[in-house]
Structures are given as structure tokens and as C-alpha cells.
Amino acid sequence: MLISGDFLESIQRIPADQLARIIHEIAPEGNPVGVHLNLSDGDEGEAPWHWRPSRKRKEREIIGPLPSTVRLVVSNLVYIEKKDLPSAMTDCLIRVAAFQNPEFYKAQAMRLSTYGKPRVISCSEVFPEHIGLPRGCMEEVVGVFKSHAVKVEIQDERTTGRKIDVLFHGELRPEQRDASSKCLLTTTAYSVHQRRSERQ
């Protein structure tokens, strides 16, 4: 089936807010591309025809002694203390920063070799006493702990840098302006959360 160039040119981009609403309708509980959304647990016993379009199922509650408080250090990564965390919680946090490798499934669908193509790409790092996750996972990590009644203490260790006297004469593209405003909102949210934590 051939698709004409005129047809492709007639397709309009979906606004970001409309896309966000569509994603929320498909996967209201979280990120629809995370591995933990569509890897099946063999002992869960849920019929696959009951799965949602995103194949997301409700995460099972982690059973076991959990600490009352966990400390997160925000730096180049979000560092989570592993102390007193059960292995099930550690595994859950690592899967927050994992996603399926599209190249693996593309090769598999075309009956090509998948050698050297991992099925899952993990962006987490495991240290002797911490788990390191990308800072973009911060909101979901906090949500995991809150769902298990674990209080989160955030320690901000990001480098503020040094002010220099310069002027920017360029013009940002729309997507750059959006990214800049989102970074500012994220920084403000962390600061507000930190002040609230200090008051408590």
C-alpha cells in the first residue's frame, strides 16, 4: 500500500495537551511505555483479554517490612537509599527506569536476528548503597513510595553553577521554549517539596 505525499502533508500535528489527555485515558496510572506496564507475571493468573489497551495492570502491593522514611538525593541522578528496602521494592524502582527496546521488536517482527539487541533497556544504575535513576523518574518514584505509605525526604545536591554576565541574542524554537519552561517548573516543584519536607 502506497501513501501519497499529499496525504502525509495534510496530517496535522497533535497539540501536546491533547496528546497528554489521550495518554492519560490509555494509562491513567502512569507511564505507558515502562516495562513494568506490559511484562506479564507468570503467577498473576490474569486473563490477557482483561488487559487494558496499554496492557497495564494494577501493580501488586509490596508485602514486607518497609521503612517509615526513605531519603532521595537529587544530583545528576535521583539516588535512592537501598537501606531497609525489600528486594521487591528495589526491583520495582529499577523497572521505573526501564523500557522495551524498539529495535529488538522491529528486528523480531522482520524475522531478523536479535543478537546484540537487548529486549529491555534499563537507565538505572545500582550502587553499593543506592539506586540511581534518571531525574525524569522523580515523580513516579515518589508515587511508588506514597502508595506504600513511605514518607519521602528529598535532599537537593544539584550544582547551582556560577552566574556570568551575558546576554542571549538567539531565538528559541517552540519546542525549546517548552522544554525551558518545563525545566523551570520542575526546579520550582522540587524546591517547594523540599521546603515542605523541612517544615515537617
Side-chain angles (χ1 to χ4, degrees):
M1 178 180 179
L2 297 177
I3 300 177
S4 66
D6 293 337
F7 172 74
L8 294 176
E9 288 180 0
S10 67
I11 298 176
Q12 300 296 320
R13 286 188 175 186
I14 298 178
D17 56 343
Q18 182 181 350
L19 179 61
R21 286 195 299 271
I22 294 173
I23 293 175
H24 180 72
E25 290 174 1
I26 295 174
E29 291 90 351
N31 183 359
V33 298
V35 168
H36 58 297
L37 303 183
N38 47 21
L39 286 184
S40 60
D41 297 319
D43 58 348
E44 192 161 346
E46 182 181 357
W49 52 85
H50 291 157
W51 293 355
R52 301 177 184 179
S54 66
R55 300 183 71 183
K56 179 176 177 65
R57 287 160 289 168
K58 184 178 180 180
E59 291 283 348
R60 290 179 293 179
E61 184 177 356
I62 296 173
I63 306 299
L66 292 170
S68 59
T69 304
V70 67
R71 186 166 66 98
L72 308 184
V73 179
V74 183
S75 183
N76 59 318
L77 298 172
V78 176
Y79 294 94
I80 308 164
E81 285 187 338
K82 294 192 295 183
K83 180 182 177 181
D84 299 329
L85 291 181
S87 58
M89 176 63 80
T90 301
D91 179 65
C92 178
L93 294 171
I94 289 174
R95 286 185 291 147
V96 167
F99 60 95
Q100 293 177 331
N101 182 5
E103 292 299 320
F104 174 90
Y105 292 97
K106 179 180 178 182
Q108 187 182 57
M110 298 176 67
R111 302 295 192 270
L112 299 176
S113 171
T114 57
Y115 179 79
K117 295 180 174 66
R119 184 171 65 90
V120 173
I121 296 175
S122 177
C123 299
S124 63
E125 295 185 43
V126 179
F127 301 95
E129 297 182 0
H130 296 83
I131 301 170
L133 302 181
R135 292 190 304 204
C137 299
M138 182 73 173
E139 184 178 351
E140 191 166 355
V141 168
V142 172
V144 168
F145 284 119
K146 284 187 175 180
S147 66
H148 290 83
V150 177
K151 182 180 177 182
V152 176
E153 293 182 354
I154 299 177
Q155 179 181 338
D156 195 341
E157 293 291 340
R158 290 174 295 175
T159 302
T160 57
R162 178 173 55 87
K163 290 185 177 181
I164 57 176
D165 188 16
V166 295
L167 294 175
F168 177 67
H169 296 287
E171 183 175 349
L172 297 177
R173 297 192 298 274
E175 57 269 24
Q176 291 176 321
R177 289 197 295 270
D178 292 342
S180 177
S181 62
K182 288 177 182 177
C183 286
L184 180 61
L185 289 173
T186 301
T187 303
T188 305
Y190 284 164
S191 301
V192 171
H193 193 288
Q194 180 65 20
R195 287 198 296 270
R196 288 177 178 173
S197 299
E198 290 174 354
R199 292 195 201 103
Q200 295 174 353

